[in-house]
Amino acid sequence: MRAGSGASRSPAIGSLPRFGGRKRKFVWICAFISGLTAMEKKLAEYKCNTNEAIQLKLVRFPEDLEDENTTFNPEYSHQVFGDDEVAFGYKGLKILLYYIAGNLSTLFRIEYTSKVNEKFDCVEADDVESKIREIIPPGFCTNTDDFVSLLEKEVNFKPFGMLLHTYSVHNEEAGEDITYQIYKADMTCPGFREYHERLQTFLMWFIETASFIDVDDERWNYFLVFEKYNKDGATLFATVGYMTVYNYYVYPDKTRPRVSQMLILPPFQGEGHGAQLLETVHRYYMSSPTVLDITAEDPSENYMKLRDFVLVKLCQDLLCFSPGKLMQGFSQEMVMEAQQKLKINKKKQRELAKMRRCLRPEELTNQLNQIDINMQHEQLEESFQQLVSDYRRVLERLAQA
């Protein structure tokens, strides 16, 4: 053997040794892959699910800060942290976003047990703080003492705008009725612009395709739900949820309010606040002679179910839907009265009319018949059964109301 044959030297990464044949090449490749796998496992320890890492609170009392029962998590975080909803570079990551229950003054702090360092070649931790700062307005607290000082001033907070509706919900845990109020506000209300900037941050965590609106556009209306509660003998208000509505112009002298965003915060969901809010908003616009109809922007399935319940409930007040009329069966008179008095939008009919105006007869026929007739029957049956199920659910809920 010649000296310096290189038999004992390690090959460079990315190259294969020139000796030993296929068996040694295979062993070297396995070792290389094993090394990569070990590194991948090490890096995986520093990946955190941001839906779990983000901890939200609506704080009423100082003790809420340490009470895990007051914590809730986002449904979504992809609009801030990407489609995989992961933050890299931390172990035990906690992103604390605590809000004072009424005015929503915010505490923002990041905690973790360890963070990647220079031992990891070409790898650095995600800048979590910058990502959060992009969506929360400035002026937030970073330490608990400042936040608690603001909490002591919460007694001065009052709802914005005009009171539209007051209702109560029985709370089994508290053993009493809790009072709630719905207000209509706009950007002329002192302090509302800053409050809304804090409120809208919740959209990123609970509406999948949410976006912030242009608050300088005066055609926006804001509807807010608050809970009244007692603290040391004083009456305070906690934010429950809200809705934004945009008023489109309809020639020559009408408007078409379109619901854009609607959110009931998680601690209050399942208590009927969404139905109360939507019914109040509908009644507000129904009373205006300048409103043509009321629509919704890209409504979710849950919103449509809620709207069905609210509209059926409102139909009970109409003459055409009296018990005697209902016994006679469905009629065109019911359609006309519901559309005129409840300002129900005829979207599907208008879309078909638009197709008839824009397409030649043969094109329209192709559009309507492009699906195989058997498939149409299957889809119609599926839709019918779903509709029956939805109506049964609405009727059961009406019976309990």
Side-chain angles (χ1 to χ4, degrees):
M1 178 185 291
R2 292 185 302 168
S5 65
S8 62
R9 290 184 303 188
S10 298
I13 292 177
S15 65
L16 293 175
R18 299 180 179 179
F19 58 89
R22 294 181 179 178
K23 185 175 182 180
R24 289 201 177 188
K25 287 181 182 178
F26 177 76
V27 171
W28 184 89
I29 291 171
C30 289
F32 180 69
I33 293 174
S34 178
L36 285 179
T37 303
M39 177 60 75
E40 289 173 352
K41 289 181 178 179
K42 186 71 174 177
L43 293 176
E45 296 177 359
Y46 288 85
K47 291 182 179 180
C48 298
N49 182 314
T50 48
N51 289 337
E52 298 174 357
I54 297 170
Q55 299 187 2
L56 305 167
K57 283 182 186 286
L58 293 171
V59 180
R60 304 186 187 196
F61 308 96
E63 51 267 32
D64 292 342
L65 293 170
E66 304 300 327
D67 185 355
E68 293 185 359
N69 293 325
T70 64
T71 302
F72 56 100
N73 304 98
E75 292 183 23
Y76 313 102
S77 57
H78 62 88
Q79 295 195 102
V80 178
F81 290 98
D83 291 341
D84 55 356
E85 298 182 322
V86 166
F88 172 75
Y90 307 87
K91 283 185 179 180
L93 178 64
K94 293 182 180 180
I95 303 170
L96 307 183
L97 280 170
Y98 297 171
Y99 296 79
I100 293 178
N103 67 21
L104 302 181
S105 294
T106 311
L107 170 67
F108 168 45
R109 193 167 69 236
I110 295 174
E111 298 176 354
Y112 50 85
T113 56
S114 63
K115 183 178 178 180
V116 295
N117 52 39
E118 64 275 2
K119 294 180 182 178
F120 294 88
D121 293 335
C122 303
V123 171
E124 61 182 19
D126 292 341
D127 189 353
V128 171
E129 181 172 344
S130 293
K131 292 179 182 292
I132 297 295
R133 282 176 176 267
E134 289 179 3
I135 66 165
I136 62 174
F140 53 83
C141 299
T142 57
N143 67 77
T144 304
D145 290 340
D146 290 343
F147 186 71
V148 171
S149 295
L150 291 177
L151 183 60
E152 294 172 354
K153 302 175 183 178
E154 177 74 345
V155 68
N156 299 319
F157 173 76
K158 296 294 183 289
F160 303 94
M162 174 178 62
L163 175 62
L164 296 181
H165 179 51
T166 299
Y167 64 98
S168 63
V169 175
H170 185 72
N171 186 290
E172 293 290 345
E173 184 177 346
E176 60 181 355
D177 291 342
I178 307 297
T179 300
Y180 299 87
Q181 294 183 328
I182 299 176
Y183 290 76
K184 176 185 176 292
D186 57 50
M187 288 299 159
T188 64
C189 300
F192 179 67
R193 179 183 292 264
E194 294 76 16
Y195 167 85
H196 177 264
E197 287 180 350
R198 298 188 291 270
L199 176 61
Q200 69 178 351
T201 61
F202 286 101
L203 297 176
M204 290 296 163
W205 313 128
F206 298 104
I207 296 182
E208 190 170 6
T209 57
S211 60
F212 294 162
I213 63 177
D214 179 11
V215 297
D216 291 321
D217 191 331
E218 297 179 353
R219 287 178 287 184
W220 284 106
N221 287 152
Y222 308 84
F223 299 88
L224 311 164
V225 187
F226 294 95
E227 176 191 334
K228 295 177 69 174
Y229 70 99
N230 294 319
K231 181 180 180 181
D232 299 328
T235 299
L236 280 73
F237 294 85
T239 301
V240 172
Y242 83 119
M243 177 190 290
T244 58
V245 181
Y246 192 78
N247 296 289
Y248 283 91
Y249 168 72
V250 179
Y251 180 86
D253 59 352
K254 302 287 186 182
T255 60
R256 172 172 288 130
R258 176 180 291 179
V259 176
S260 176
Q261 301 157 329
M262 180 180 180
L263 176 64
I264 301 299
L265 297 175
F268 303 96
Q269 290 177 3
E271 299 177 352
H273 302 295
Q276 290 281 354
L277 176 58
L278 188 57
E279 181 177 346
T280 300
V281 171
H282 266 270
R283 289 188 182 278
Y284 172 79
Y285 287 117
M286 283 161 45
S287 63
S288 173
T290 63
V291 169
L292 180 64
D293 52 26
I294 306 166
T295 66
E297 177 184 346
D298 192 21
S300 67
E301 184 176 347
N302 286 337
Y303 176 87
M304 289 189 289
K305 289 179 178 179
L306 180 65
R307 182 178 59 188
D308 286 347
F309 168 73
V310 168
L311 292 178
V312 172
K313 187 170 182 286
L314 291 172
C315 281
Q316 292 180 308
D317 296 332
L318 302 181
L319 181 61
C320 281
F321 289 85
S322 63
K325 294 282 188 178
L326 288 173
M327 294 297 293
Q328 297 175 18
F330 185 73
S331 67
Q332 189 62 29
E333 186 182 6
M334 293 177 176
V335 176
M336 296 299 296
E337 187 175 17
Q339 287 176 348
Q340 292 172 4
K341 294 187 177 180
L342 304 185
K343 308 294 179 75
I344 297 176
N345 175 266
K346 299 187 295 182
K347 185 175 180 180
K348 292 184 177 179
Q349 289 88 335
R350 281 207 306 272
E351 289 177 350
L352 183 58
K354 184 177 180 180
M355 289 176 63
R356 285 174 175 152
R357 289 196 304 270
C358 297
L359 300 177
R360 296 192 299 271
E362 61 273 18
E363 292 175 331
L364 178 62
T365 301
N366 289 336
Q367 287 290 323
L368 297 177
N369 296 326
Q370 61 183 341
I371 303 176
D372 179 78
I373 189 66
N374 291 330
M375 186 176 294
Q376 288 185 37
H377 289 166
E378 291 176 5
Q379 292 178 345
L380 283 172
E381 176 63 21
E382 182 180 347
S383 298
F384 172 75
Q385 293 300 335
Q386 182 61 50
L387 194 62
V388 170
S389 176
D390 290 343
Y391 283 160
R392 183 177 290 112
R393 176 188 50 77
V394 169
L395 292 174
E396 289 173 351
R397 186 171 179 183
L398 280 173
Q400 298 171 1

